[in-house]
Amino acid sequence: IVQIDAQPYLQWYLKKYGVDLRSKKGKGAKKEAGKEEEEVEKQSRHVIFKLKAREAKQKMDPAVEDQFQSGRLLASVASRPGQSGRCDG
């Protein structure tokens, strides 16, 4: 088990699902995040509907969500039989 930085995964999740995992799910955080997204990037109708559909389907384990909020993820390194246990790239 290794500890890795969550930033690249946060960026990917925000782009894929339109959900910012850094903020807590309180009411104030949603309003602030919504304002930031409107100011930062303009999106077409197609992209907006696609993100809404993905956001409706997305589920995340609460333990993993807490790890994202802390900025560190725990990952397990596994290798196939006969291969070395290197973790590069």
Side-chain angles (χ1 to χ4, degrees):
I1 303 240
V2 294
Q3 189 178 32
I4 57 174
D5 184 32
Q7 188 62 31
Y9 300 102
L10 286 168
Q11 291 172 349
W12 173 83
Y13 204 86
L14 179 62
K15 188 173 182 179
K16 177 81 174 177
Y17 293 101
V19 177
D20 189 9
L21 295 174
R22 287 176 286 205
S23 62
K24 294 194 175 190
K25 287 193 170 186
K27 294 178 183 176
K30 284 186 178 181
K31 291 178 183 176
E32 292 174 9
K35 289 179 184 177
E36 291 174 6
E37 287 177 337
E38 291 175 359
E39 294 174 0
V40 173
E41 186 176 331
K42 293 182 180 180
Q43 297 173 336
S44 67
R45 278 186 70 219
H46 178 73
V47 172
I48 292 170
F49 285 119
K50 188 173 12 174
L51 288 176
K52 283 184 182 179
R54 286 180 181 166
E55 186 177 355
K57 294 178 187 176
Q58 65 99 15
K59 295 180 196 172
M60 185 171 290
D61 188 58
V64 175
E65 195 166 340
D66 290 339
Q67 290 178 16
F68 271 112
Q69 290 174 0
S70 70
R72 294 285 174 189
L73 296 174
L74 296 177
S76 175
V77 178
S79 63
R80 298 186 319 237
Q83 304 294 319
S84 65
R86 282 179 53 181
C87 182
D88 57 348

